Amino acid sequence: MSAPFGSGPLRIITADERLREARGIKGVLTGTSGIGKTTQLLTLDPQRTLFLNLEAGELAVQGWPGDEIRIRDWDVARDLAAWIGGANPAMRDDQSYGLGHFARVCASFGPASQLDKYDTVFVDSISVASRICLQWCKGQPQAQSDRTGKADLRATYGLLGQEMIGWLTHLQHTPAKNIWLVGLLDRKLDDFGKPYFSMQIEGSKTGLELPGIVDEVITLTELRPEKGEPFRAFVCTTINDFGLPAKDRNGRLSMIEPAHLGRLMAKIRGPRPDGAARLNFDLPAGVIAPNSPTTKGV
């Protein structure tokens, strides 16, 4: 089991101990509206999966026989993150996710051992979570101007970024559980009319930092080959032919994978070459540097 949050003397984790740890997969599943992100819940084991429903979009998975928690306010969202991820000793007792917060949540929800039956937590969606968080932030004293007493948008969005990053980071540190965060993907145009994709999250800070927090960023998209019918697939690697957001920290995935989240997790846990054997440091044949290196000033 991965080491949870804990205080105590410094301990060096040996290579054998680290290799024996059961590590959960932390990832973002994104895609345009209606592409079938929530439906990926059907590919997971219902007996070992907990569905955190913020979007009220369960119509797509109405027959799924698993457990669900419905979230409608930010206080409950934070309490659930503390309950799932455990206490963070770096926080004070009066701060979110600290020992005091965790104790209060366990007193209200029950012991965290109730969650031991779940291997995977499926959160749908972080787009809605950011809106709920923004609404909460607007009512906080920190979001009011000290001089005028009116709403301060800069302070509001600053608090939004802190809250969302803290929430996501705490979930990311959940020991030995898979955490999948579903998010809506927008297609936009830049100032030159060139299309690009970005996740639909309130505030810029969360969207910019989220890929660095999680292990996997997977985009569910529709691909249209020159011949044959269009099909849905996962785009999984940062360097891809479609300009879609993607990331594979694990190194086991191909650029395109079948649109089945359960099989994807099985492949992530599968064997791979050890060490530098899985890395290729050579440039393709015939590559020429775009600009000659300069030695001016050497």
Side-chain angles (χ1 to χ4, degrees), residues 221-234:
T221 188
E222 181 184 44
L223 300 180
R224 294 180 174 270
E226 293 183 2
K227 296 182 180 180
E229 296 295 323
F231 61 94
R232 291 185 303 171
F234 288 147

Side-chain angles (χ1 to χ4, degrees), residues 175-196:
K177 287 193 189 304
N178 308 310
I179 307 290
W180 282 100
L181 308 162
V182 177
L184 189 61
L185 191 67
D186 284 337
R187 183 179 185 274
K188 301 180 179 180
L189 297 176
D190 62 17
D191 295 339
F192 301 98
K194 183 179 179 181
Y196 69 97

Side-chain angles (χ1 to χ4, degrees), residues 37-46 49 61 64 122 234 259-265:
K37 301 180 295 298
T38 305
T39 311
Q40 288 296 316
L41 185 63
L42 300 175
T43 70
L44 305 177
D45 182 359
T49 302
V61 291
W64 184 71
F122 190 87
F234 288 147
H260 191 290
L261 191 57
R263 295 176 190 168
L264 190 82
M265 288 197 291

Side-chain angles (χ1 to χ4, degrees), residues 21 29 49 60-61 89 112 142 158 182 200 229 239 245 249 262:
E21 285 181 343
L29 174 61
T49 302
V61 291
Q142 306 96 301
V182 177
Q200 189 182 104
E229 296 295 323
I239 301 175
R249 184 175 284 170

Side-chain angles (χ1 to χ4, degrees), residues 1-3 17-24 175-177:
M1 176 176 178
S2 299
E17 290 175 324
R18 183 173 58 81
L19 293 173
R20 285 197 301 267
E21 285 181 343
R23 300 174 182 271
K177 287 193 189 304

